[in-house]
Amino acid sequence: MYDNFFKLALEEAKKVKNDIPVCAVITKDNELISIAVNKKEETNKTTAHAEILAIEEANKKLNSWRLEGCEMFVTLEPCPMCAWAVINSRIEQLYFGSYDVKYGAIESAINLVKLANSKLKVKGGIYEKECDKLLKDYFENLRNERKA
């Protein structure tokens, strides 16, 4: 059901070099609508998270701020900013990989879905080990670069 799009998100996240390797994919009726990766470092924009960029691209493509009937596949549990954007965009289903115990705003640190009384359907832990490894490797490499 979600394998192909989640694998696409994971593969695109692996290509991210100078930012936290996160990718978000939005689909509708099993068709790819948008795909984006984190670009905070590249753009020097605080809000250039994968989820925000994917939502903006989907808004343009569908010519609507309402993304009803859409699904999002993201490699990391959304932070509060991104979670609120997902909820307010009216995306129907969210699939995510790694849980973010510090900043996750869907199930981990806080639950904005419940707070907003949202109808967003959520499934976390998709390809969790692969997503966790990608993030762990990135931060390990970052620490090693800073030591050198």
Side-chain angles (χ1 to χ4, degrees):
M1 168 170 79
Y2 47 74
D3 263 2
N4 291 341
F5 293 117
F6 208 91
K7 285 180 182 176
L8 174 62
L10 196 50
E11 289 307 310
E12 291 300 311
K14 288 177 184 176
K15 296 176 187 176
V16 176
K17 296 296 178 214
N18 296 319
D19 215 318
I20 298 172
V22 175
C23 179
V25 171
I26 296 177
T27 65
K28 185 170 184 170
D29 300 326
N30 216 27
E31 177 186 326
L32 179 65
I33 301 297
S34 66
I35 184 167
V37 296
N38 277 356
K39 291 188 176 182
K40 283 183 2 180
E41 298 296 332
E42 179 183 323
T43 63
N44 285 317
K45 290 173 70 177
T46 305
T47 58
H49 289 210
E51 300 94 327
I52 301 293
L53 298 172
I55 287 170
E56 289 173 347
E57 185 180 327
N59 293 147
K60 285 179 190 170
K61 187 166 185 180
L62 298 175
N63 196 31
S64 176
W65 68 266
R66 292 178 187 90
L67 299 180
E68 293 163 334
C70 289
E71 298 179 307
M72 178 181 277
F73 305 82
V74 63
T75 55
L76 177 63
E77 180 181 3
C79 70
M81 175 181 69
C82 294
W84 204 248
V86 169
I87 291 165
N88 279 284
S89 71
R90 299 188 183 162
I91 285 173
E92 191 172 303
Q93 175 78 50
L94 172 70
Y95 300 95
F96 69 87
S98 292
Y99 288 87
D100 187 343
V101 295
K102 280 188 172 180
Y103 304 109
I106 298 293
E107 293 183 356
S108 296
I110 59 174
N111 189 326
L112 290 179
V113 176
K114 284 184 181 176
L115 182 67
N117 196 25
S118 171
K119 294 177 181 168
L120 176 67
K121 297 175 199 149
V122 176
K123 178 151 178 57
I126 312 293
Y127 291 100
E128 185 175 6
K129 288 179 184 175
E130 294 90 335
C131 293
D132 286 351
K133 181 177 177 359
L134 183 61
L135 292 165
K136 181 180 180 250
D137 290 350
Y138 169 78
F139 285 111
E140 198 170 278
N141 289 336
L142 189 62
R143 280 189 295 276
N144 290 337
E145 285 176 13
R146 288 184 180 163
K147 286 180 186 176

